[in-house]
Amino acid sequence: EPEVTQTPSHQVTQMGQEVILRCVPISNHLYFYWYRQILGQKVEFLVSFYNNEISEKSEIFDDQFSVERPDGSNFTLKIRSTKLEDSAMYFCASSGQTAGNTIYFGEGSWLTVV
Amino acid sequence: GIQVEQSPPDLILQEGANSTLRCNFSDSVNNLQWFHQNPWGQLINLFYIPSGTKQNGRLSATTVATERYSLLYISSSQTTDSGVYFCAVPGGSQGNLIFGKGTKLSVKP
């Protein structure tokens, strides 16, 4: 079964540093997402991306966050200047040809900000 | 925005027991997904079930969209079923999902 892959699986970074989390969505999918889960809490939507632009974003997705699809396969989340409260699991996800299809999640990237 | 509530928040079972997890949502939806988050943090798709009933092995799910709830049934539970079960429904036009707080299931041998 096709899957969403994410790298790195775990990253430790100093506060104030920039972090880039990478994702390879399922190949024929058109909708891409990032979600975040702080330890012990529920999964929260960050941003959706369609047709090479942000289609929707949550209040969490402020100016320190950005997303990019630099080529035909990768989808990245950049955090410009990390804060302690950015420590979380970040999930990339993708879905198929129309919004409302099943959303498939990657295995997540643990980010620890120290 | 749409609210998603799951119950119970915690559930402890003896191996072999059956259980029912519930998900209530506050508005009409055209999609609902159930996920299992294993102890390593991975989110595993269980069901895409906007309405009706589906079965996959020992797991089955039923969504009654008109009454705004969904149920996940686990039969003959195993220790590997432990983890957190989330339901999620669309919260925006682009299909982004709103998650409930989950049900934490612990299956004891």
Side-chain angles (χ1 to χ4, degrees):
Chain A
E1 184 176 305
E3 56 183 24
V4 177
T5 58
Q6 291 186 238
T7 54
S9 55
H10 189 197
Q11 183 164 350
V12 181
T13 190
Q14 295 273 346
M15 192 168 53
Q17 295 297 303
E18 176 182 283
V19 163
I20 297 176
L21 305 178
R22 292 182 166 81
C23 168
V24 179
I26 294 173
S27 63
N28 63 345
H29 282 184
L30 300 180
Y31 293 84
F32 314 115
Y33 311 87
W34 284 100
Y35 289 78
R36 177 183 86 173
Q37 185 182 30
I38 294 171
L39 187 64
Q41 298 187 21
K42 66 179 181 180
V43 180
E44 300 173 291
F45 167 72
L46 291 178
V47 65
S48 59
F49 192 86
Y50 171 72
N51 201 24
N52 284 318
E53 60 182 20
I54 290 173
S55 49
E56 205 157 357
K57 60 183 181 179
S58 72
E59 293 176 351
I60 303 169
F61 194 86
D62 61 21
D63 290 345
Q64 72 160 343
F65 291 95
S66 62
V67 290
E68 193 177 33
R69 188 155 163 82
D71 53 43
S73 59
N74 291 284
F75 180 51
T76 62
L77 174 70
K78 182 192 289 186
I79 308 174
R80 249 179 284 281
S81 177
T82 50
K83 305 171 190 170
L84 295 176
E85 54 265 36
D86 293 327
S87 295
M89 175 79 103
Y90 289 82
F91 291 102
C92 176
S94 69
S95 68
Q97 303 297 308
T98 58
N101 280 7
T102 303
I103 298 181
Y104 294 88
F105 282 74
E107 294 186 345
S109 295
W110 272 111
L111 176 65
T112 302
V113 183
V114 296
Chain B
I2 192 166
Q3 304 295 314
V4 181
E5 293 184 0
Q6 292 187 243
S7 59
D10 296 279
L11 186 59
I12 300 174
L13 296 177
Q14 206 64 37
E15 198 169 27
N18 303 328
S19 64
T20 301
L21 282 57
R22 187 176 180 103
C23 173
N24 292 333
F25 40 96
S26 61
D27 206 348
S28 301
V29 298
N30 58 6
N31 177 17
L32 186 141
Q33 290 185 235
W34 281 98
F35 297 89
H36 175 217
Q37 187 167 40
N38 64 22
W40 297 271
Q42 297 170 340
L43 276 174
I44 312 298
N45 266 313
L46 295 178
F47 294 102
Y48 171 90
I49 185 163
S51 64
T53 297
K54 289 186 178 179
Q55 180 147 11
N56 185 3
R58 296 181 295 103
L59 272 61
S60 64
T62 295
T63 296
V64 184
T66 53
E67 296 187 23
R68 301 179 185 172
Y69 73 90
S70 183
L71 302 174
L72 178 69
Y73 306 95
I74 304 174
S75 64
S76 304
S77 57
Q78 300 176 359
T79 56
T80 52
D81 295 331
S82 296
V84 183
Y85 290 81
F86 290 102
C87 69
V89 300
S93 61
Q94 298 302 313
N96 55 284
L97 294 175
I98 304 297
F99 282 72
K101 292 184 178 180
T103 292
K104 184 177 180 181
L105 175 65
S106 299
V107 181
K108 305 298 184 186

